[in-house]
Amino acid sequence: MLLLSGPNIAGNEWKYVKECLDTGWVSSVGSYVTKFEEVLAEYTGCKYAVATSSGTTALHIALLLAGVKQGDYIIVPNVTFIASINAIKYTGADPILIDVDPATWQMDLSLLEEFLANETVMENDILCYKKNKRPIRCIMPVHVLGNICDLEKLTSLAGKYKLKVIEDATESLGSYYKNKHTGGFGMMGCFSFNGNKIITTGGGGMIVTNDEELAKKAKHLTTQAKSDSFEYVHDEIGYNYRLVNVLAAMGVAQMELLPSFIKRKKEIDHFYRDQLKGIGDIRFQEIQPDIDCNMWLFTFMSDKQKELLKVLNDKKMQSRPFWVPMNRLNMFANDIYYSDKDLSGFIYQRCLSIPCSTNITDDELASVAETIKSVF
Ligand SMILES: *Cc1c(COP(=O)(O)O)cnc(C)c1O
């Protein structure tokens, strides 16, 4: 089976993990946790990084630290992986799902602007949804597939409407907007190191921020909010969300490989775009010139999506449809969905992701491309 985007364990993973096992430093206290945080902070250009058990738990903590409470709203794109919305729901808040741009597949900022102008009102300096006066606390851009929306416009709208920005940067390690890495454009940014992400710790996540106080609080909340170094005194309801040393060791090794992974992901992207350009109705994700995208997961659009998925998977070339848009899932069917033409649905019915693991060979890439061409 040719994996869609599998892990590539090619560096010092064994060595560093063995060191944890040999020394007994396996749990959430250990030098690799600190080291992984330092490396991530440096790489993303953020002052602080706090390692968590997953991208989902990172998002949950970031929202709590943004002051999100029961009954609040969070603005988020309708095209994302479910974890973004689950994290919102854990806090008791609800999403406001904004439809996406059909070319970039990121939140449609014109639609967002229209929503803010028409559907919201300021009450005591807090932005509220006009119909029920519930507070809209944050906006959470999701850098879908490592691509990025016009963050300058998004942050300026957030400023104008007093919305806190929490980036779901989980897919965008190695992606830059105007030469600045994702994660540091708002209050906090969150990354994921799940099995199919650009680097992996098996499972893991990271909160990055430039605010020391927030970083301290994030560490506190993810470690059961223990407030005394000796006695079991806890000053609020905390979470057991810390990344463990064994996995952080893997993360440190993976970060050493990240530049080579990004290089390979970009090669794969170039190869597929070059081979598939002009074939049938195939269209690609548009990436604006001021964005340097990590090209994490190669995805394209065609009306023959269903047929392509069948042919590829039959040939053991693991391919997947795009996520079901959030408004189409039962649990979120009653949430607000702001859309003009339901472009999320349009994209969903046409997009598919194809094998693009960093350790895929050139021959394998060529046979995937040939298989796709044979359908047209
Ligand atoms: C992977 C991902 C997450 C969650 O990360 P986990 O580490 O799997 O919890 C959140 N949002 C998006 C958009 C993702 O792709």
Side-chain angles (χ1 to χ4, degrees), residues 53-57 59 80-84 142-144 168 170-171 191-194 196-197 203-205 296 323:
S53 55
S54 73
T56 311
T57 57
L59 287 167
T80 182
F81 178 55
I82 192 165
S84 322
V142 181
H143 309 314
V144 174
D168 181 338
T170 46
E171 301 181 359
F191 292 93
S192 163
F193 315 114
N194 196 8
N196 70 359
K197 294 297 201 287
W296 162 59
W323 309 297

Side-chain angles (χ1 to χ4, degrees), residues 15 22 58 301 323 361:
K15 187 175 157 209
D22 287 343
M301 260 164 98
W323 309 297
T361 66

Side-chain angles (χ1 to χ4, degrees), residues 264-299:
R264 185 61 181 152
K265 289 283 188 188
K266 286 182 177 176
E267 280 169 13
I268 294 168
D269 182 80
H270 281 143
F271 178 83
Y272 279 143
R273 281 183 195 244
D274 184 56
Q275 290 290 310
L276 303 178
K277 191 173 56 194
I279 305 292
D281 65 343
I282 287 179
R283 274 159 297 163
F284 306 112
Q285 184 184 31
E286 219 170 81
I287 292 150
Q288 296 304 313
D290 46 11
I291 289 158
D292 180 2
C293 178
N294 66 1
M295 303 299 176
W296 162 59
L297 190 70
F298 190 83
T299 304

Side-chain angles (χ1 to χ4, degrees), residues 51 99 120 365 367:
D99 203 4
T120 69
L365 280 177
S367 63

